[in-house]
């Protein structure tokens, strides 16, 4: 009998991880533009986070770095890396596919009309450096989820921006039970781009054959986007019965909460008041860009970045929450500072897929021994640091490509070496 569990597929931080400040509206990314990055340290932080998930008893998977620089994308722009202007070189070299929460939107089998787990690769069209990710992501998804238990879809077409699971949440009594899927979109016209279009949400819901009665569309608050919450997962996260959200996360929270209550009366909303934690503190600390998970002992756990512990208002509220005997019973802290400096917290680094692990290509699942193997490759091949003025260095580019090839070889995934289609 098939047993459905939640698997967190973490993106391994690629060897081209650098701070180019490409993401308008992501305050950390733009504030740290031009800093020296540390790809080896960043990737090892990610491995340590995966080890911590395994220690909690969670099932863990990975998604692999993309080929960088993306020569096929540059060729479609009638140029090549050495001749391209600096801004195109930076966009072609970006390692942003590490943030697997933007890889796809996932609807587990209990929610879909045909009983398959559906995945739709995100088009990420709002940002040029991300818009060319989807073909390589789609190739990995089709390899990892080739079993008939899955249905993997191509992207929603332009101009309807789709940013994947970062703007999608699921409420359910337990992971293997039918759920209520919540799509969050933004309205354009504010200080920063609203990256998720309602039309894209609706298209994904139709493709996944979701029951309209158990599908909710909610607008992210303009205030949150203007404050730097470029994705919903910067101000809200859900797990099983619990929606954990900032008071100012949604444009019309009263209507949303009423809709949730009508279709999921068992759901619990844990709301952080703005009077205790401001939007600015929530975004700086990535309190909500946390992994909210249910380990085998059923003690729902919030996995936050070290920056949440460093913020007095945020940490104080978390301690009060734990003392209040609510549904979130534990808080764990992880160090992902290299990712945070580029605008991605613990939740950004993972894609959640509820499925039977036996249906997943085992090359994409990890245990402690495989993480040891991954860490050894990173230690041996990832650049220690990348300075902003070094990305034109052909020696660095050769090292980046060799590092990725070594990882794919170690994981028996060398067939991905030749996958570099044009977006």
């Amino acid at each position: 009998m098939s047993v459905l569990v939640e698997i967190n597929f973490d993106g391994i931080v690629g060897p081209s991880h650098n701070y180019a400040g490409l993401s308008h509206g992501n305050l950390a990314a733009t504030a740290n533009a031009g800093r020296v990055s540390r790809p080896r340290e960043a990737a090892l932080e990610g491995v340590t986070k995966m080890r911590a998930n395994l220690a909690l008893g969670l099932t863990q998977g990975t998604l692999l770095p993309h080929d960088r620089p993306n020569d096929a994308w540059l060729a479609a722009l009638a140029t090549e890396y050495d001749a391209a202007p600096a801004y195109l070189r930076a966009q072609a070299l970006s390692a942003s596919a590490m943030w697997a929460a933007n890889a796809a939107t996932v609807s587990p089998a209990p929610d879909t009309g045909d009983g398959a787990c559906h995945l739709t690769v995100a088009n990420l069209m709002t940002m040029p450096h991300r818009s060319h990710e989807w073909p390589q992501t789609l190739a990995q998804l089709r390899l990892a989820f080739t079993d008939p238990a899955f249905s993997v879809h191509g992207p929603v077409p332009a101009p309807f921006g789709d940013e994947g699971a970062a703007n999608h949440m699921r409420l359910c009594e337990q992971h293997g039970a039918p759920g209520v899927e919540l799509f969050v979109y933004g309205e354009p016209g504010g200080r920063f781009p609203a990256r998720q279009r309602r039309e894209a949400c609706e298209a994904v819901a139709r493709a996944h054959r979701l029951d309209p009665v158990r599908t909710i569309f909610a607008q992210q608050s303009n205030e949150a986007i203007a404050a730097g919450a470029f994705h919903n997962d910067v101000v809200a996260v859900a797990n099983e019965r619990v929606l954990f959200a900032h008071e100012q996360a949604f444009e019309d929270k009263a209507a949303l909460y009423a809709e949730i209550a009508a279709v999921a009366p068992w759901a619990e909303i844990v709301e952080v008041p703005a009077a205790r934690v401001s939007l600015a503190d929530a975004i700086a600390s990535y309190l909500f860009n946390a992994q909210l998970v249910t380990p085998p002992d059923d003690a729902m756990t919030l996995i936050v970045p070290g920056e949440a512990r460093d913020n007095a208002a945020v940490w104080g509220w978390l301690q009060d929450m734990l003392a209040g005997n609510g549904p979130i019973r534990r808080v764990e802290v992880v160090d992902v500072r290299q990712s945070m400096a580029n605008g991605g917290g613990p939740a950004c680094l993972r894609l959640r897929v509820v499925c039977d692990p036996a249906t997943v290509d085992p090359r994409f699942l990890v245990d402690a021994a495989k993480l040891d193997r991954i860490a050894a490759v990173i230690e041996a091949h990832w650049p220690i640091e990348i300075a902003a003025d070094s990305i034109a260095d052909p020696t660095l580019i050769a090292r980046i490509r060799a590092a990725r090839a070594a990882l794919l070889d170690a994981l028996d995934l060398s067939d991905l070496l030749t996958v570099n289609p044009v977006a």
Side-chain angles (χ1 to χ4, degrees):
M1 181 179 176
S2 179
V3 178
L4 304 184
V5 302
E6 181 180 83
I7 307 174
N8 288 279
F9 288 85
D10 278 41
I12 296 175
V13 179
S16 68
H17 164 67
N18 70 98
Y19 298 130
L22 300 173
S23 193
H24 182 55
N26 182 328
L27 302 185
T30 52
N32 289 303
R35 275 186 50 194
V36 174
S37 69
R38 302 185 66 83
R40 185 180 301 176
E41 182 179 324
L44 291 174
E45 286 174 354
V47 171
T48 299
K49 181 173 89 74
M50 286 189 273
R51 291 191 199 280
N53 282 356
L54 290 177
L56 285 172
L58 302 173
T59 306
Q60 183 67 51
T62 61
L63 293 174
L64 287 305
H66 290 190
D67 181 32
R68 291 291 178 265
N70 189 338
D71 289 336
W73 182 67
L74 290 171
L77 293 168
T79 189
E80 55 189 26
Y81 193 76
D82 291 345
Y87 74 94
L88 283 183
R89 283 201 300 269
Q91 290 168 355
L93 193 66
S94 170
S96 56
M98 63 195 250
W99 293 307
N102 300 123
T105 302
V106 183
S107 295
D111 299 356
T112 68
D114 60 359
C117 176
H118 286 253
L119 301 94
T120 294
V121 69
N123 63 32
L124 298 170
M125 59 159 292
T126 307
M127 297 291 159
H129 70 290
R130 305 216 65 179
S131 67
H132 58 89
E133 288 176 17
W134 71 259
Q136 292 188 52
T137 300
L138 183 59
Q140 289 195 49
L141 297 179
R142 287 183 168 159
L143 191 59
F145 305 111
T146 190
D147 189 277
F150 300 97
S151 181
V152 180
H153 304 271
V156 173
F160 307 112
D162 177 27
E163 303 272 319
N167 292 304
H168 173 262
M169 297 181 289
R170 180 175 186 257
L171 292 165
C172 54
E173 293 185 84
Q174 57 185 21
H175 289 308
V180 173
E181 301 205 13
L182 173 56
F183 293 81
V184 182
Y185 63 91
E187 289 293 344
R191 175 188 175 198
F192 294 131
R195 303 187 189 188
Q196 185 76 29
R197 292 280 294 270
R198 178 169 180 141
E199 296 92 338
C201 298
E202 293 171 341
V204 171
R206 289 191 296 269
H208 292 194
R209 305 188 187 186
L210 300 181
D211 179 355
V213 174
R214 299 176 68 84
T215 305
I216 297 173
F217 301 97
Q219 184 183 340
Q220 185 177 1
S221 78
N222 295 322
E223 189 176 12
I225 295 173
F230 52 99
H231 291 138
N232 169 72
D233 67 4
V234 179
V235 284
V237 62
N239 179 65
E240 293 191 324
R241 295 171 175 264
V242 175
L243 171 62
F244 179 51
H246 192 272
E247 180 184 357
Q248 296 164 288
F250 306 106
E251 190 67 16
D252 188 348
K253 73 168 186 176
L256 171 61
Y257 291 176
E259 194 168 359
I260 291 172
V263 70
W266 35 260
E268 299 180 67
I269 297 172
V270 178
E271 184 181 88
V272 180
R276 290 290 308 276
V277 176
S278 68
L279 267 178
D281 279 341
I283 292 166
S285 68
Y286 270 27
L287 166 61
F288 298 95
N289 196 255
Q291 289 183 253
L292 187 57
V293 298
T294 306
D297 65 4
D298 287 330
M300 193 175 294
T301 301
L302 188 69
I303 302 170
V304 299
E307 287 78 357
R309 183 175 53 195
D310 297 342
N311 185 297
V314 168
W315 195 246
W317 187 87
L318 285 171
Q319 299 314 299
D320 289 347
M321 177 198 70
L322 292 175
N325 201 33
I328 301 173
R329 302 305 309 135
R330 275 197 303 247
V331 173
E332 299 284 345
V333 179
V334 294
D335 180 3
V336 287
R337 293 184 186 276
Q338 281 287 313
S339 177
M340 286 285 290
N342 226 355
C348 284
L349 287 161
R350 62 91 176 96
L351 179 69
R352 308 163 84 171
V353 181
V354 172
C355 66
D356 181 349
T359 61
V360 178
D361 186 317
R363 294 176 294 178
F364 290 88
L365 298 176
V366 299
D367 56 14
K370 187 177 284 188
L371 288 179
D372 288 344
R373 199 155 76 242
I374 291 169
V377 173
I378 292 167
E379 291 273 15
H381 295 281
W382 259 233
I384 293 175
E385 61 181 35
I386 295 179
D389 60 0
S390 70
I391 69 168
D393 182 355
T395 303
L396 173 64
I397 301 308
R399 182 168 188 186
I400 288 168
R401 289 217 155 101
R404 176 175 179 264
L407 179 63
L408 295 181
D409 181 63
L411 298 178
D412 193 27
L413 282 164
S414 294
D415 38 346
L416 289 173
L417 275 174
T418 57
V419 177
N420 193 5
V422 179

